[in-house]
Amino acid sequence: MKLTLLLTVFLVVLVIFVFLRNVSATIIPSLALPGSIVATFGVMYQLGYSLDNLSLMALTLCVGFVVDDAIVMLENIVRHMEMGKSPMRAAYEASQEVAFTILSMTFSLVAVFIPVLFMGGMVGRLLHEFAVTISMAILVSGFISISLTPMLCSRFLKAEHDQQHGRLYNASERLFTASLHLYDRTLRGALRFRAATMAVSVLLLIATVYLFTVVPKGFLPSEDQGRFNLTTEGAQGLGLREMINHQQQVADIVAQDPNGQPMRRQG
C-alpha cells in the first residue's frame, strides 16, 4: 500500500504536468497533496488511528480528490490572467468567484462517505477508520485550495506573454487544440440532437440498474489463494499409531494427483 500510495502521487502529478505543461503551474496544485496527507496524519494521531491497509487505502483514493479543488482554482486564476490582469489581482478575483463552488464540491465529496461513517455492524467497524481518514483529507484539501493555492498563484504564476515555449509545448498545443475542436463538434451534435442524447442517457441508466442487479455481491471478493485444506476424521477408539498410518495413506493418495504437484505435506 505504501508503494501504491507513492505511485499514485507520482502519476497524479505527471498527469497534471502533461496537461498544464508548466512546472510552476504543476507544483502549485501538487502541493495540496503533501499538505492534505500530513494534516490527515495529525488527525489520525489525535484519534488514535494507525497506518494500516485501510487508512493507506483511504489516502490512496483521496489523492485524486485533493488536487481537484486546487486545479479548479488554478484554472480560474489562469483565465483571469489571460484577460490581462496581474497575477495578484487575478488570484484575488478568481478565488472570490470559485471559493463557494470549491466548498460545495468539498462537502459533496465528504457527504458520500457519511453513510459509511455511520454504518453499523462488522462492516461499519471495519470501514469507520477508512471513512474518517478520507473525509478529513478531502476537508483539508478544500481549505488548502481556497487559501494556499491562490497565494502561490499570485506569487509564482507568470503572464502568457512572459513565457517562452519550446517545440514540445507547441506540438502538444496543436494536439490539445485538435482535441478541443473535436469536443466542440461532438458537443454541438449532442445539443442539436437532444432527443437522441436523452434516449442514450436513459438507456445507459437502465443498463446501469440492470448490471447492478446481476453483478455478484458479497462482503469480501472471492480470491484464488492457490491452496486447499484437507481434514480427515478417524473412527472412535482408533489409536494414535493407526491414525498416523491412515493419515499417511491419505497423504499418498492426494500426492498422486497430477493437479496437486508439487504438494507439501503438513503433519
Side-chain angles (χ1 to χ4, degrees):
M1 288 304 303
K2 293 179 181 178
L3 177 61
T4 303
L5 178 59
L6 295 175
L7 182 60
T8 304
V9 172
F10 171 76
L11 292 177
V12 168
V13 175
L14 179 62
V15 170
I16 295 174
F17 177 75
V18 168
F19 281 89
L20 297 181
R21 294 160 296 163
N22 187 293
V23 176
S24 59
T26 302
I27 294 176
I28 290 172
S30 300
L31 289 177
L33 284 171
S36 302
I37 293 178
V38 170
T40 305
F41 285 161
V43 176
M44 293 173 60
Y45 177 77
Q46 294 297 325
L47 295 177
Y49 293 164
S50 60
L51 280 175
D52 50 24
N53 284 341
L54 285 176
S55 59
L56 287 175
M57 182 175 64
L59 293 174
T60 303
L61 292 177
C62 76
V63 166
F65 295 150
V66 299
V67 297
D68 290 345
D69 299 338
I71 291 175
V72 171
M73 178 66 73
L74 175 67
E75 289 178 344
N76 199 41
I77 294 175
V78 172
R79 183 177 66 87
H80 279 264
M81 292 178 61
E82 292 175 349
M83 299 178 184
K85 301 177 183 179
S86 64
M88 179 66 71
R89 182 181 176 187
Y92 180 76
E93 296 182 1
S95 60
Q96 285 184 325
E97 289 181 354
V98 299
F100 182 78
T101 303
I102 290 178
L103 288 177
S104 64
M105 292 170 55
T106 301
F107 288 114
S108 298
L109 289 173
V110 174
V112 174
F113 298 96
I114 291 179
V116 181
L117 184 63
F118 293 100
M119 187 181 297
M122 181 176 294
V123 179
R125 296 180 60 184
L126 185 64
L127 298 180
H128 181 81
E129 182 176 339
F130 168 84
V132 172
T133 302
I134 195 170
S135 299
M136 184 53 56
I138 294 173
L139 289 174
V140 173
S141 68
F143 175 76
I144 291 177
S145 300
I146 62 178
S147 58
L148 179 64
T149 301
M151 184 273 293
L152 294 175
C153 291
S154 66
R155 296 296 182 183
F156 297 104
L157 283 185
K158 296 181 179 180
E160 185 67 23
H161 56 78
D162 296 333
Q163 300 181 17
Q164 296 181 356
H165 304 299
R167 297 179 180 179
L168 181 61
Y169 182 93
N170 296 328
S172 59
E173 185 66 20
R174 290 191 293 268
L175 177 62
F176 282 112
T177 302
S179 63
L180 181 61
H181 290 324
L182 177 62
Y183 171 72
D184 180 67
R185 289 194 297 269
T186 55
L187 181 59
R188 291 178 183 273
L191 295 176
R192 181 179 178 182
F193 302 100
R194 287 174 286 184
T197 303
M198 291 300 300
V200 172
S201 301
V202 172
L203 291 177
L204 290 175
L205 180 61
I206 296 175
T208 302
V209 175
Y210 171 74
L211 291 175
F212 177 79
T213 58
V214 299
V215 170
K217 304 173 184 63
F219 177 61
L220 292 176
S222 301
E223 59 179 343
D224 185 6
Q225 298 181 351
R227 62 184 180 88
F228 62 90
N229 298 324
L230 182 63
T231 303
T232 58
E233 183 178 354
Q236 294 184 1
L238 190 65
L240 176 61
R241 186 170 298 278
E242 295 180 355
M243 185 64 187
I244 293 175
N245 294 332
H246 289 300
Q247 186 73 24
Q248 187 63 45
Q249 294 177 8
V250 173
D252 294 337
I253 295 174
V254 174
Q256 294 175 2
D257 188 349
N259 297 320
Q261 300 295 334
M263 300 191 65
R264 181 178 61 183
R265 298 178 183 178
Q266 295 182 352

